Amino acid sequence: MPTRPQVYRPEAKLLDLGDGFFDPVAPADFPETRLRFRNDRAAAQIGLDTLTDDEWTRHFGRFEPLPGTLAQPFALRYHGHQFRNYNPDLGDGRGFTFAQMRDDRGRLMDLGTKGSGQTPWSRAGDGRLTLKGGVREILATEMLEALNVPTSRTLSLIETGEQLQRGDEPSPTRSAVLVRLNHSHVRIGSFQRLAYERDEAGLRKLVGYTLRNLYDKDSEDPVRLLDLVVGRTARLAARYMAAGFVHGVLNSDNINVTGESFDYGPWRFAPTWDPAFTAAYFDHQGLYAFGRQPEAIHWDVMQLAVALRQIADSDPLVAALDQFGPRYQPEVTQAILWRLGVRPRDPDTDRDLVQATERALRTSGVGIDRFFFDAFGGNLPGTYAEPWTDVRAALASYEPRKGRSHAYWSGEPCSMLIDEVEAIWAPIAEHDDWTLLNAKVAAIRIMGDALAE
């Protein structure tokens, strides 16, 4: 039976917070708007897939307001810890929220931007996004979605015709504006700002907004909010690990309160299970290395607890925060079993399998994507000798959650290592040839279909 088309259901819940939480801004007036990527699969979930290309460009390149939602864009205010150093001078410096609507699951969604121009929080930046940065975000979000990681979706990428100067890539370089679809842009840093300013009324208002609109809870209890955020962020950390993904900048202003990954600057997929692998060249201490991501996210959630301490007793907040580890362990077990393509058995047996898998990956140096491709469904090939003996024996007792009949399994594993990212970008930079990007997005989606329930 065909799925009914999603009806466009606009909202403007952000206005309930009042103007102390954001600043009205105007989008940049770009020299040109050339549509480079439109994600109709994501747009269909919010009732916007029927837009013509001209309408799409007007809304997502010129930011003509969508009907029934926010009448103007708003740059959100927040603070945050950046590499554990507190920064009170943050906020949306090259982006804004310009629309809200319900998706096909009834969730409140935000449309936010990256590269849409300067705001009061730009801190001498130009407010722009490089075209390469936009391409990289498309690749990150598509890959993470396919690998079952809760993530923002790249809805649109439009080239804007400006030449940008950047110190970390050949310049001048091309510019773009990106639109992301997110289940909220409320960050841990949003609460930190209010706590820093000792705005208890604002904290209570934001707690209520978050619980009602993002968790569908008729509550204003800060402990309840922390408990929910602990669960969602533990799941996010676990799924990063199963995906072999390194975010690169897990600052508290980059962790939203729905546990949905977003804001992709430096990122990498780890080639092998190397806990010390980092994504950001400036992460000299390995603070956000692959193996330290659960610790980093837990630390960020701790900052939410500290902020909420102004309006709640510490003991129940500490008790909620202490559940991060106990929640992370079953989440990472479930995430790795999902990627192995087998059904859970019992907690002890499942944990033993996951631990054996992690040990073998770490010691063997086998590629993460290669292993999960070969092992999907529980039948590890005989070419996997030591240290894989225990893993093969354990997998033999598991039932597949899905067979290998999909055409994807007759080819090679779909990966997204840095060399391929550069190879996809090169023909765009040199010849304006988007063939490799479009082919890669299609290949990633095929993988996602093969892995999906």
Side-chain angles (χ1 to χ4, degrees), residues 133 222 238 269 291 298 312 359 397 424-425:
F269 282 89
H298 186 200
R359 282 195 303 271
S397 64
I424 289 169
W425 169 248

Coordinates of all heavy atoms in Angstrom, one line a residue, residues 133 222 238 269 291 298 312 359 397 424-425:
G133 N 33.1 22.7 2.2 CA 32.5 22.4 3.5 C 31.1 21.9 3.4 O 30.7 21.0 4.1
P222 N 13.5 20.0 35.6 CA 14.9 19.9 35.1 C 15.5 18.6 35.2 O 16.4 18.2 34.4 CB 15.6 21.0 35.8 CG 14.8 21.3 37.0 CD 13.4 21.0 36.7
A238 N 27.2 5.8 21.6 CA 27.3 4.4 21.2 C 27.3 4.2 19.7 O 28.0 3.4 19.1 CB 26.2 3.6 21.9
F269 N 35.8 9.2 9.3 CA 35.5 7.8 9.6 C 36.9 7.1 9.8 O 37.8 7.2 9.0 CB 34.7 7.2 8.5 CG 33.2 7.6 8.6 CD1 32.8 8.7 7.9 CD2 32.3 6.8 9.3 CE1 31.5 9.0 7.9 CE2 31.0 7.2 9.4 CZ 30.6 8.3 8.7
G291 N 38.2 6.8 20.5 CA 37.9 6.1 21.7 C 37.5 6.9 22.9 O 37.0 6.4 23.9
H298 N 29.8 12.6 27.7 CA 29.4 12.5 29.1 C 29.8 13.8 29.8 O 29.1 14.4 30.6 CB 30.0 11.3 29.8 CG 29.6 11.1 31.2 ND1 30.3 10.4 32.1 CD2 28.5 11.6 31.9 CE1 29.7 10.3 33.3 NE2 28.6 11.1 33.2
A312 N 17.5 23.3 40.4 CA 17.2 21.9 40.9 C 18.2 21.5 41.9 O 19.3 22.0 42.0 CB 17.2 20.9 39.7
R359 N 38.0 -6.2 20.6 CA 39.4 -6.6 20.8 C 40.0 -7.1 19.5 O 41.1 -6.7 19.1 CB 39.4 -7.8 21.8 CG 39.3 -7.4 23.2 CD 39.8 -8.5 24.2 NE 39.0 -9.8 23.9 CZ 37.9 -10.1 24.5 NH1 37.3 -9.2 25.4 NH2 37.3 -11.2 24.2
S397 N 26.2 -18.7 16.9 CA 24.9 -19.0 17.6 C 23.9 -17.9 17.5 O 22.8 -18.0 18.2 CB 25.3 -19.1 19.1 OG 25.8 -17.9 19.6
I424 N 36.3 12.9 -4.3 CA 34.9 13.4 -4.7 C 35.0 14.9 -5.0 O 34.4 15.5 -5.9 CB 33.9 13.0 -3.7 CG1 33.6 11.5 -3.7 CG2 32.6 13.8 -3.9 CD1 32.8 11.0 -2.6
W425 N 35.7 15.6 -4.1 CA 35.8 17.1 -4.2 C 36.6 17.5 -5.5 O 36.3 18.5 -6.1 CB 36.4 17.7 -3.0 CG 36.7 19.2 -3.1 CD1 38.0 19.7 -3.1 CD2 35.8 20.2 -3.3 NE1 37.9 21.1 -3.3 CE2 36.6 21.4 -3.4 CE3 34.4 20.3 -3.5 CZ2 36.0 22.7 -3.7 CZ3 33.8 21.6 -3.7 CH2 34.6 22.7 -3.8

